[in-house]
Amino acid sequence: MNHTILAIETSCDETAAAVYNTADGCLSNKLFSQIDLHTVFGGVVPEVASRSHMEKIGVIIQEALDAAGKTLDTIDAIAVTHKPGLPGSLLVGVCFAKGLALATNKPLYGIDHLEGHAFSAQIEHTIPLPYLCITASGGHTSLYIINGLGDYETLGTTLDDAAGEAFDKISKMLELGYPGGPVIEKLAREIECKDVYSYPRNNPELGYNFSFSGLKTAVLYNLVKQDAYDLKKKKLLNSSYTLKQKVASSLLVCIKDVFIQKLSYAFAKNPHIKSIAFVGGVACNTFIRKELKEWAEARGLSFFVPSPQYCTDNAGMIAHVADYKIRLNQVASGLDLDILR
Ligand code: KG4
Ligand code: ZN
């Protein structure tokens, strides 16, 4: 069964559309990133995000169709992220998708953004099953065991902040801008990813779950101890570049260690797993990729990461999930599809 899907993703600050074909994979994967609109505020502003989605969604969908050499008449189904995300942003994508489905009389599939990330490493790779997957993005950090397409179990998730959120919040604290991940990685590399401050690693009592809000507090109090941060005014007092490098580097190594802790724990409990996948925006981080790869290969496990375009939010991963849902004969969503936070 071969079909072509148009997918739309607007759950946060990327307006994305992709066209995917069962036999050929992703034919196009287009997006408009709103980063420049949010940088001035130091983080995503929901109202700004939904307005921008409304402006761009039509253009991006047309770009995706054109790049794939398709029209609305030559696609078989429409997929859209309907959860979780910013309600106003999700609504734009879902309403647009419903309109397209109604106008073209094509089936509509509501897709879970997290399922999109969880299976994104399979877009370009055949992964030996079962495998452990860490999703680390700005909004989510989760650990899954994946047994097959659409067949997965959530082992753990973050109890508070996501890993990407830790990068973003600490970057804001250091006045390094948004998003934090790339700039933290750059600074850390400049001092060879040294662990200067040994911030606390996750408490083993968390089991499969993650917690990163304590790490943010540890960074903050470490800065206060060095007279580098004013807690009352919430202001950085010492903007020394060297200090920023040390914080960035220690943070990066700490988050990498937490991931390895979780993988070690999960592998000990699930010794039958064959591979490891690392996905989500944080999986763009080449230092963490390299370290996780070494950890996996030292244990005879294969290691997979999607290429960067499928790590950060994208519609290709949403189309990929819709494709296997159709192949698994799952029922399409009705036009009463609603958003879920
Ligand atoms: O998956 P994504 O695009 O959006 C969400 O679903 O949240 O992930 C965005 C997150 C941001 O927190 C950003 O700081 C992080 O991914 N990120 C990185 C890197 N590039 C992006 N984190 C660490 N290192 C990077 N190179
Ligand atoms: Zn995401």
Side-chain angles (χ1 to χ4, degrees):
M1 197 179 17
N2 187 26
H3 38 247
T4 304
I5 295 153
L6 167 68
I8 300 168
E9 151 66 47
T10 61
S11 66
C12 188
D13 60 344
E14 260 101 23
T15 313
V19 177
Y20 186 100
N21 175 270
T22 313
D24 304 314
C26 254
L27 304 178
S28 66
N29 190 36
K30 296 284 174 187
L31 64 80
F32 171 76
S33 167
Q34 303 175 357
I35 282 179
D36 291 346
L37 299 178
H38 300 292
T39 305
V40 280
F41 303 104
V44 178
V45 181
E47 289 78 5
V48 174
S50 32
R51 252 172 237 224
S52 173
H53 284 311
M54 291 199 4
E55 274 172 33
K56 295 290 179 193
I57 191 165
V59 181
I60 295 296
I61 289 174
Q62 192 60 54
E63 270 183 27
L65 287 168
D66 291 348
K70 298 283 178 189
T71 62
L72 286 176
D73 290 335
T74 55
I75 55 147
D76 304 306
I78 292 160
V80 63
T81 304
H82 76 119
K83 66 172 182 184
L86 299 172
S89 292
L90 287 169
L91 262 180
V92 176
V94 168
C95 291
F96 208 99
K98 281 193 205 177
L100 285 181
L102 183 65
T104 59
N105 201 23
K106 311 267 163 148
L108 173 70
Y109 288 83
I111 306 293
D112 181 338
H113 181 81
L114 291 178
E115 195 168 331
H117 276 303
F119 289 89
S120 59
Q122 293 196 34
I123 298 175
E124 301 154 296
H125 308 283
T126 303
I127 305 185
L129 297 162
Y131 68 94
L132 290 172
C133 174
I134 289 192
T135 297
S137 71
H140 311 275
T141 306
S142 307
L143 180 65
Y144 306 96
I145 187 154
I146 295 186
N147 301 308
L149 283 175
D151 178 3
Y152 66 104
E153 187 192 337
T154 307
L155 297 178
T157 184
T158 181
L159 303 179
D160 39 56
D161 291 354
E165 200 175 351
F167 283 120
D168 296 338
K169 286 185 172 167
I170 292 165
S171 172
K172 192 172 180 182
M173 205 188 282
L174 295 175
E175 299 173 353
L176 290 169
Y178 173 84
V183 60
I184 299 267
E185 176 172 14
K186 177 181 165 286
L187 290 179
R189 286 204 169 278
E190 288 165 3
I191 59 163
E192 279 136 25
C193 302
K194 278 201 213 81
D195 185 12
V196 183
Y197 297 125
S198 300
Y199 298 129
R201 273 48 176 165
N202 264 11
N203 182 340
E205 280 174 20
L206 288 173
Y208 288 125
N209 290 322
F210 300 83
S211 165
F212 291 105
S213 74
L215 174 57
K216 189 187 63 198
T217 313
V219 172
L220 182 67
Y221 280 95
N222 182 257
L223 287 172
V224 170
K225 208 172 84 188
Q226 301 182 61
D227 293 326
Y229 197 88
D230 184 331
L231 268 183
K232 280 206 187 106
K233 292 187 183 148
K234 294 193 173 159
K235 179 105 190 78
L236 193 67
L237 298 172
N238 177 354
S239 52
S240 136
Y241 193 71
T242 321
L243 176 70
K244 292 182 183 181
Q245 284 175 317
K246 287 184 193 165
V247 174
S249 188
S250 309
L251 174 67
L252 179 55
V253 179
C254 180
I255 289 182
K256 176 269 293 178
D257 284 350
V258 169
F259 290 163
I260 289 186
Q261 252 180 16
K262 297 299 159 190
L263 289 176
S264 304
Y265 180 73
F267 183 40
K269 293 213 169 255
N270 301 276
H272 61 295
I273 65 128
K274 300 214 171 52
S275 330
I276 303 289
F278 178 39
V279 304
V282 178
C284 289
N285 191 289
T286 53
F287 169 75
I288 307 181
R289 280 179 184 228
K290 181 179 143 287
E291 296 279 322
L292 296 195
K293 183 171 196 284
E294 280 172 20
W295 178 89
E297 289 178 354
R299 283 152 189 82
L301 302 168
S302 336
F303 180 76
F304 298 90
V305 272
S307 55
Q309 63 165 328
Y310 300 121
C311 283
T312 46
D313 285 350
N314 67 90
M317 68 183 190
I318 302 304
H320 173 249
V321 173
D323 175 64
Y324 68 67
K325 281 190 184 294
I326 297 173
R327 284 192 280 138
L328 295 169
N329 291 319
Q330 293 190 9
V331 190
S333 319
L335 284 176
D336 57 351
L337 176 71
D338 207 348
I339 61 157
L340 288 170
R341 298 180 71 183

